[in-house]
Amino acid sequence: MSANAQPGVNHDIRDPALAEAGRRRVDWAHLSMPVLQAVRKQFIKSQPLVGRRVGACLHVTAETANLAITLRDGGAEVVLCAANADSTDDEVAAVLVKDYGIATHAVRGADRETQRRHWDAVLETAPQVTLDDGCDLIGRLHTARQDRLSGVLGGTAEGLRGAAAEAVQYPVIAVDGSVTKRMFDNQLGTGQSTIDAILRATNLLLAGLTVVVAGYGPGGRGIAARARGLGANVLVTEVDPLRALEAAMDGFRVMSMTLAAEQADLVVTATGNKAVLAREHFEKLKNNAILCNAGHSSVEIDTEALERMASARREVRRHVEEYALRDGRRVYVLAAGRLINLATGEGHPASVMDVSFATQALAVEYLVKHYATLERRVHAAPAEIDRQVAKMKLESMGVRIDRLSLEQEKYLSDWPQGY
Amino acid sequence: MSANAQPGVNHDIRDPALAEAGRRRVDWAHLSMPVLQAVRKQFIKSQPLVGRRVGACLHVTAETANLAITLRDGGAEVVLCAANADSTDDEVAAVLVKDYGIATHAVRGADRETQRRHWDAVLETAPQVTLDDGCDLIGRLHTARQDRLSGVLGGTAEGLRGAAAEAVQYPVIAVDGSVTKRMFDNQLGTGQSTIDAILRATNLLLAGLTVVVAGYGPGGRGIAARARGLGANVLVTEVDPLRALEAAMDGFRVMSMTLAAEQADLVVTATGNKAVLAREHFEKLKNNAILCNAGHSSVEIDTEALERMASARREVRRHVEEYALRDGRRVYVLAAGRLINLATGEGHPASVMDVSFATQALAVEYLVKHYATLERRVHAAPAEIDRQVAKMKLESMGVRIDRLSLEQEKYLSDWPQGY
Amino acid sequence: MSANAQPGVNHDIRDPALAEAGRRRVDWAHLSMPVLQAVRKQFIKSQPLVGRRVGACLHVTAETANLAITLRDGGAEVVLCAANADSTDDEVAAVLVKDYGIATHAVRGADRETQRRHWDAVLETAPQVTLDDGCDLIGRLHTARQDRLSGVLGGTAEGLRGAAAEAVQYPVIAVDGSVTKRMFDNQLGTGQSTIDAILRATNLLLAGLTVVVAGYGPGGRGIAARARGLGANVLVTEVDPLRALEAAMDGFRVMSMTLAAEQADLVVTATGNKAVLAREHFEKLKNNAILCNAGHSSVEIDTEALERMASARREVRRHVEEYALRDGRRVYVLAAGRLINLATGEGHPASVMDVSFATQALAVEYLVKHYATLERRVHAAPAEIDRQVAKMKLESMGVRIDRLSLEQEKYLSDWPQGY
Amino acid sequence: MSANAQPGVNHDIRDPALAEAGRRRVDWAHLSMPVLQAVRKQFIKSQPLVGRRVGACLHVTAETANLAITLRDGGAEVVLCAANADSTDDEVAAVLVKDYGIATHAVRGADRETQRRHWDAVLETAPQVTLDDGCDLIGRLHTARQDRLSGVLGGTAEGLRGAAAEAVQYPVIAVDGSVTKRMFDNQLGTGQSTIDAILRATNLLLAGLTVVVAGYGPGGRGIAARARGLGANVLVTEVDPLRALEAAMDGFRVMSMTLAAEQADLVVTATGNKAVLAREHFEKLKNNAILCNAGHSSVEIDTEALERMASARREVRRHVEEYALRDGRRVYVLAAGRLINLATGEGHPASVMDVSFATQALAVEYLVKHYATLERRVHAAPAEIDRQVAKMKLESMGVRIDRLSLEQEKYLSDWPQGY
């Protein structure tokens, strides 16, 4: 624990003295998070989380700070650790400990061992609700720390799938299944922030470039749409025929990565899979091609294979590494293939996290209310939460929409007449 | 039955002699329906429908003719009637009877009584599978003709919802729930064909106009996207907060119809509801505003209310009716508020129906195979059919996509490592 | 002259009795021509053309009728013939003669000899101002009918270039050089009306198609933008490096026609040149490719060469001709390669012609005022007319814009300070 | 002169020892400047500037370094000072002096007095050709330093207009009149870099925001297109009716700033004028509105007026200043109203400057060849330079375009036949 620790708040952060610098950031994020603020106002009144312990493993950023504060203001005891050591904002961590008394265990650049220690620090508090961006807490609870499983009433997570999803021992709301999350976080947020991060890393002019987007899930769609919106000619690669078809009908060229790589000025991977760019594709790239990754994990570009093809490697600009290939071509990799919008940008805009985190806060409330009747499996976010978040977001934008009249409601549910 | 009837084929059509003129249209549609042709080739080999009676109530068009032929070539005995008397192509009906021996009961402009007779002619053949564009056959089977219910193994339908959906007595595949249908028919097809129909009716320049789209379901989204693609400034109205939010985040202005009506040069309704444009909105319209409907039924614009506000009414161009309001404004209604892409255009492009009808043909095959194990309720189209249609469509476009490697498949289903 | 001729009005039209049917069309166009109506109101007051004879060779359409009426209401004696026999609307011609007493010489489908006679009928009236859509009157005045040259004070024209432009013997305002004309007529009008005409001819779904646009002048840009706006993937071919570069930076792929032809589902020519699609390109086309022309003249597609490659040819749909090539491929040509928006559509929307014709009307006024001081050469449309038309158009749209303050005007003309 | 000066190279820079850090940046820019490299290769062969003294007043950036090196490699003696002290990259200045021996007089943050000294240091070398980004050297030569005027053969400049333009005493090529400059620098470059700079300053999500763009010149058009491409709903204000009309026909809403200000989430000025946002507009702004400027000079937002309306002011994030207005609203100004893409971004992408600087280099060659026959006034960039730059750019992109056949050339210049 750092020297001038906050009395009474268990924590492991860089330095509480950094709070000064982080305060403005938490406030600036607050400004762009009107939906979460609306939830917070409700929570302050209704106190739905009183007496509940919430353990959260999230990117420790200014936006997350606003979520943690909202949960706290709803009555919860909140303990926080980092979903990713690279994204931890030490100054924000300091604000949480110092100004808000929220137990935080997060240090930028912490090694894997320290991260595990931080997860365990959270689990030691016996959280009744877990929040995961990814599935770190859930993963640890179901593997190394099954001893802590029994006290958990429910949790939220993202990216739970396959065998892992089938094995969960408590009700988990998959917030990435919510409409608003998919719209804001996966599509709008990833779309803009990926392009933004590429521009910050390279200062490339996108107009006139051939940009290949690997993957046409919500993230890839957002990236493709924004790249086109900035004047690029966009190619899409996919493994799923429905998504491939959607890309084609959206006016994008669709082809295999082997063919796409030959034409690419810039490739952005957004598939959630590994080795999407591999040796067979590197062999086709044009001289000066630029590669980056917008997927969660850094395995999408097989940089090891690329390194084996290279005779030299150097950083030519911050976050831009040049691989001089033995055949004379040069290839550039951004941020070493790590998730680019976190590595070279600022992650999602606050207004994106606003919607995601409002959904999360309402999902925590929902779990606390309904855990007794929920099956122990992965659940979609309740439609009612989606609707409520959408309504609050529209209100924050000053948008009023129509309502069905009684007559219209009746019309919608009747058998058509005249048989 | 008409004078020079086709021997042995029961039918009620305008005139078999019209076949000559309809043949080219059936062929032209064929050209744009490569997916259905691929299904047909499969069917010719595997004969999945041998001995089955299929009753279909669809728009009798050149595209439907290709579906009916495909089902017939799969071994079925097909009987066809019209989902909408206004959309019946008498020449195509003649081709079906004369060239393909398909029993057809459809006459353009038939009155309601004749339509009922046509439905019953189909039901008299004791169909084992019903196809509905809408739910005319299903509706009649569940109300006036319950005597024919017991022999039905399954059906396909569109737009089944509410009490009607809950009451179905046999397994029904809701083809409008299929991904490809939603993508092609509801969004791409309605989007383009609605705009196309408006241009044919008016020859308006869309660039610079303020266009209001009521409803941001797939149809409304397609219309909004295409109107913007032609240079219009688009406003969206909605009753659903999620759809409203999506429209706003897509960059459209969203507001109540009362406000939108004040600014509209053109209003297009696409909600599936009634009285979306009603007196309160007519009162706000600018002089020379133009109104039309892209929804299934003609009740979206309350033309009766408009007529009560008008001192005179005249057709100023084919399909364009001018209402001279008592306050001096003039308002124009296209195609009397009927579904515009059928009324003034040619309905969906053949390549749209290609995807829908390939899905329908495969759904019929699926029902015949699986009816015994399917619950008696509305089912979504099986995901496998969607994938298969998407694959066939991509192939027809000459698009090749990537496949997951074994290693990638494994990666996708594992727990992330390191807990 | 037809039997029931209008007394006192010299004319050669199909039949004055057709006026009844044409009246609605002239009125409907009127509705979409607020700028021309604003000019007409001015003209009625100021009578700038009193005593002047105006000879006009234009497409005889409902929009042209409104121009002719405007000039007449400004005091001119107007005589009209057809710029293109295919575009003549016989019913509108009848309205002009019967309702407005405007001497009209135009019959749909007239042969070349009759057209020459119509030109001469106009020239016999010794027009002082000529209006040409193309340069038919000017061409004839400078070749076969130089006897009539001396009385002409000035004229307007489109497409005058090369040797022809250098040889003109009186001041000619090239209305196609006006900003509003380029924006509305060449880009917005051609863009929408070409796509509209293709849809009417084929009912193709553009989404997902590869569309090749030959030429990236204003027309080609408009077509490319609208095709993209409807979901197509657009390729551009060009001979001019600046235009080619502009297309590339707009996000379109740019390549030679030889390469583009291999990928095209649809090719649209818009170059103003001949043999843009020639044998070498036909040889590369995919099976079922569709070809059409949006340029003024029908020489852009070398249909003769295509015919030589074909073993059979038939009309498969109105305006759609199938060429069965000897190698088994089929290629479709729309409207025999004629200007598609006139051949299968309705030409430009009235609101496009509104701007063009308001410019023409003001150009006629300008010529009558200033002919004495204008050099005998081709002049650009005066900037003041462009501004005035733009202002009137904005007013008709209800758009108010800002004005420079005095301080701002001063700021714009000063040397920057501080040297 | 700094301590460890480069022997023999006159200069005033921060520190030659900074060269190390600047080298990578000059190289990275080089990579994105293929057109300028093509010019440089030509220059190295043809040595068109041998013995000529070139004085350049430009933003001292990595891209400018590449231009200076190109001119030097063409044989010129180059002396460089800064067009704007805020944009000077001290490390690049060091590279120029140390690696390339180019006399450079530029220090980031220099005061006005120092800047004047730097201009004079350039003028002391008696340059025969001047290069201005803006018109600093030209301005000083025509006011305080007319003694140096006589030796100047010609110059290039941007933004010369009004009285200043009329007073120039030597031939000046206005590079901002070149097609490529307008396309790349003013529209594509400003469009992307302004949006990029706003995102860096704020991390706002643009989707769903109402963005007001003041001015629809090339810069404003670029910004409006990019903001729309990122999902914003864009409003445009203008004083010029033609530009206003173009914006409206491009599908943007156009209105007075007084009305626009009421709806704006973000306002971007790009007019080149002063007080485009003034007290009357500040009074209408919504709470939390954000203001910034993309125009050359920082007078477009009247920040003094805003300050007078405010009770407090603080920086809430780097480059983001919050004005707490007396009526309770908060308004945010980015970069104190200075040119945002330089202040918070990195200015134009290198590939934009590539085109501009290739044009400048060729313009210098042109001046040196043709000065004797050029009038002493402002000239547009010769069309041939535009074509050459466009060709080289297309080549660098790997784009091949078609050429006119002889027959096609002939067709284009003939009178149409048949009169």
Side-chain angles (χ1 to χ4, degrees), chain D residues 99-141:
Chain D
D99 294 12
Y100 297 95
I102 290 172
T104 303
H105 302 263
V107 176
R108 187 180 191 91
D111 59 18
R112 199 67 179 167
E113 191 45 50
T114 308
Q115 279 188 276
R116 279 205 199 87
R117 194 155 38 77
H118 288 163
W119 297 339
D120 284 344
V122 170
L123 298 183
E124 283 307 324
T125 67
Q128 294 164 300
V129 179
T130 60
L131 275 72
D132 270 302
D133 185 350
C135 24
D136 291 330
L137 287 184
I138 291 179
R140 194 147 178 88
L141 275 166

Side-chain angles (χ1 to χ4, degrees), chain B residues 24 28 31 192 199-200 202-206 208 226 229-231 315-317 320 332 346 348-349 351 397, chain C residues 24 28 31 192 199-200 202-206 208 226 229-231 315-317 332 346 348-349 351 397:
Chain B
R24 284 194 319 177
W28 177 250
L31 207 72
Q192 177 181 299
L199 297 187
R200 296 192 201 202
T202 63
N203 204 29
L204 270 185
L205 180 73
L206 285 188
R226 294 322 179 211
L230 290 173
E315 191 178 62
V316 291
R317 183 177 149 112
V320 183
Y332 298 86
E346 298 183 61
H348 286 315
S351 64
M397 298 169 81
Chain C
R24 284 192 321 175
W28 177 250
L31 208 70
Q192 177 181 300
L199 297 185
R200 295 192 201 202
T202 63
N203 204 29
L204 272 184
L205 179 73
L206 284 189
R226 293 321 177 212
L230 290 172
E315 190 178 60
V316 291
R317 183 177 150 113
Y332 297 86
E346 299 183 62
H348 287 315
S351 64
M397 298 170 80

Side-chain angles (χ1 to χ4, degrees), chain B residues 24-167:
Chain B
R24 284 194 319 177
R25 268 210 291 293
V26 174
D27 287 356
W28 177 250
H30 180 115
L31 207 72
S32 293
M33 301 185 89
V35 182
L36 188 61
Q37 299 315 323
V39 173
R40 187 167 154 252
K41 271 187 205 159
Q42 279 185 17
F43 275 18
I44 287 174
K45 274 197 204 155
S46 60
Q47 292 291 305
L49 310 179
V50 162
R52 296 302 185 182
R53 289 183 305 279
V54 173
C57 184
L58 302 166
H59 296 281
V60 177
T61 63
E63 292 79 23
T64 295
N66 280 279
L67 170 59
I69 295 163
T70 298
L71 296 172
R72 189 202 66 161
D73 288 354
E77 180 187 329
V78 180
V79 192
L80 178 66
C81 63
N84 184 321
D86 291 337
S87 64
T88 294
D89 183 325
D90 290 323
E91 298 168 352
V92 163
V95 176
L96 282 171
V97 169
K98 204 155 174 212
D99 294 12
Y100 297 95
I102 291 172
T104 302
H105 303 262
V107 176
R108 189 179 191 93
D111 59 20
R112 200 66 180 166
E113 191 44 50
T114 307
Q115 279 189 276
R116 279 203 199 88
R117 192 157 38 80
H118 289 164
W119 298 337
D120 283 345
V122 170
L123 297 182
E124 283 308 323
T125 68
Q128 295 164 301
V129 180
T130 60
L131 275 73
D132 269 304
D133 184 351
C135 24
D136 290 331
L137 287 183
I138 292 180
R140 193 145 179 90
L141 275 166
H142 287 79
T143 52
R145 298 300 306 268
Q146 300 192 11
D147 59 301
R148 283 292 177 197
L149 257 179
S150 63
V152 184
L153 312 176
T156 67
E158 298 188 35
L160 252 189
R161 61 185 176 220
E166 280 164 34

Side-chain angles (χ1 to χ4, degrees), chain A residues 24-25 27-28 31-32 63 184 188-189 191-193 195-196 199-209 225-226 228-231 286 288 290 314-318 320 322 330 332 334 346-352 397, chain D residues 24-25 27-28 31-32 63 184 188-189 191-193 195-196 199-209 225-226 228-231 286 288 290 314-318 320 322 330 332 334 346-352 397:
Chain A
R24 283 193 319 178
R25 267 209 292 292
D27 287 357
W28 177 250
L31 207 70
S32 294
E63 291 79 22
F184 276 82
L188 298 171
Q192 178 181 299
S193 66
I195 296 298
D196 178 18
L199 297 186
R200 295 192 201 202
T202 62
N203 205 29
L204 271 184
L205 180 72
L206 285 189
L209 294 192
R226 294 320 179 213
R228 173 189 273 178
L230 290 172
K286 290 195 298 189
N288 292 336
I290 298 176
R314 60 173 185 142
E315 189 178 60
V316 292
R317 183 177 150 111
R318 193 162 137 70
V320 183
E322 179 186 83
R330 279 152 207 279
Y332 297 86
L334 306 187
E346 298 182 62
H348 285 315
S351 64
V352 168
M397 298 169 81
Chain D
R24 283 194 319 176
R25 266 209 292 292
D27 286 357
W28 177 250
L31 207 71
S32 293
E63 291 80 23
F184 275 81
L188 298 171
Q192 179 181 297
S193 67
I195 296 298
D196 178 19
L199 298 186
R200 296 192 201 203
T202 63
N203 204 30
L204 271 185
L205 180 73
L206 285 189
L209 294 193
R226 293 322 178 211
R228 173 190 273 178
L230 290 172
K286 290 195 298 191
N288 293 336
I290 299 176
R314 59 174 186 143
E315 189 177 62
V316 291
R317 181 179 153 112
R318 192 163 136 71
V320 182
E322 179 185 84
R330 279 152 208 278
Y332 298 85
L334 307 186
E346 299 182 62
H348 286 315
S351 64
V352 168
M397 297 169 82

Side-chain angles (χ1 to χ4, degrees), chain C residues 384 386-396 403, chain D residues 241:
Chain C
E384 191 41 39
D386 257 334
R387 283 181 62 85
Q388 198 179 339
V389 167
K391 273 184 177 173
M392 292 192 295
K393 176 68 183 168
L394 288 168
E395 265 165 40
S396 79
R403 285 178 165 221

Side-chain angles (χ1 to χ4, degrees), chain D residues 1-17 97 102-107 114 117-118 121:
Chain D
M1 192 184 288
S2 58
N4 54 348
Q6 186 67 5
V9 181
N10 191 11
H11 65 265
D12 183 14
I13 60 174
R14 178 75 63 200
D15 184 357
V97 169
I102 290 172
T104 303
H105 302 263
V107 176
T114 308
R117 194 155 38 77
H118 288 163

